[in-house]
Amino acid sequence: MATPSQWIAGARPRTLPAAVVPVAIGTGVAIGYGGGVWWRALLALFVALALQVGVNYANDYSDGVRGTDEGRVGPMRLVGSGAAPPRQVLAAALACFLAAALVGLVLVVATGAWWLLLVGAAAIAAAWFYTGGSKPYGYRALGEISVFVFFGLVAVAGTTYVQLEYLPPLAVAAAVPAGLLACAMLVVNNLRDIVTDGPAGKRTMAVVLGDRRTRVLYTLCLVLPLLIAPALAPWQPFAALALLAAPLAVAPVKAVRAGATGPALIATLQQTGRFQLGYGLLLTIGLAL
């Protein structure tokens, strides 16, 4: 029986900025347009966090039963380590997806936008089939694309929409850096696991691109958001405040460019999350002003 601390570690808290930041940015857009609704923003945040934790448990389950996690360096794996039986981890993942669906339904009813049910269903399906099912797309170098879409475009635009009940172009533009930063978390995670994923048959984008190109991709995922922030000036000049987060990107970029591997990239993952949070907070403030 896994301990509470092991369940928390298995939820991979360092990945949670990928859920928090897009909701914050989408709320910043809504406030800037004079239509922020705090309770809808909080419900959107719950949905995003539930999906993030759910996909983490689902990945733990699917990779664990396939044996992909054997010998992997990184956060606690409940199934791979034997700390929890697969059925319990699967139940935890499904419970998170159910919670996200129920709270998301409240937002659908509140807005009257029933088409959002399709978006929610697609998000849950994407979370499960990342490593679940007979042909998981995360094993086919498509993980970053899905993360960009659902933890970037969908999360930011969806958060803005449920508060304003319409979608301004700024929400879509601001979703791009959010998606890139979410991708950076996955890229550095897969870079760390490149030596074990390949032999296990998990063809992540890192495995396909190789070590050197993956490091370039990671750098782009951190640098491009800093270039995009001032480009949002035609809609909101204060969006350039996000540039103040640039110092937080220096350490992780230097580590990755210097060839950090294995356990050293665990610290880089944490630094990436800090940059993501700093950038997201500053961009949110800038968009809300």
Side-chain angles (χ1 to χ4, degrees), residues 17 20 41 83 89 100 159 167 190 214 225 232 261 268 272:
V20 174
V89 180
T159 299
L167 190 62
N190 289 341
T214 300
L232 300 177
T261 59
T268 302
T272 304

Side-chain angles (χ1 to χ4, degrees), residues 60-87:
D60 191 308
Y61 166 78
S62 297
D63 283 342
V65 297
R66 283 191 174 91
T68 309
D69 281 343
E70 293 180 6
R72 180 178 291 182
V73 175
M76 173 73 180
R77 263 73 171 189
L78 293 163
V79 175
S81 68
R87 67 180 182 277

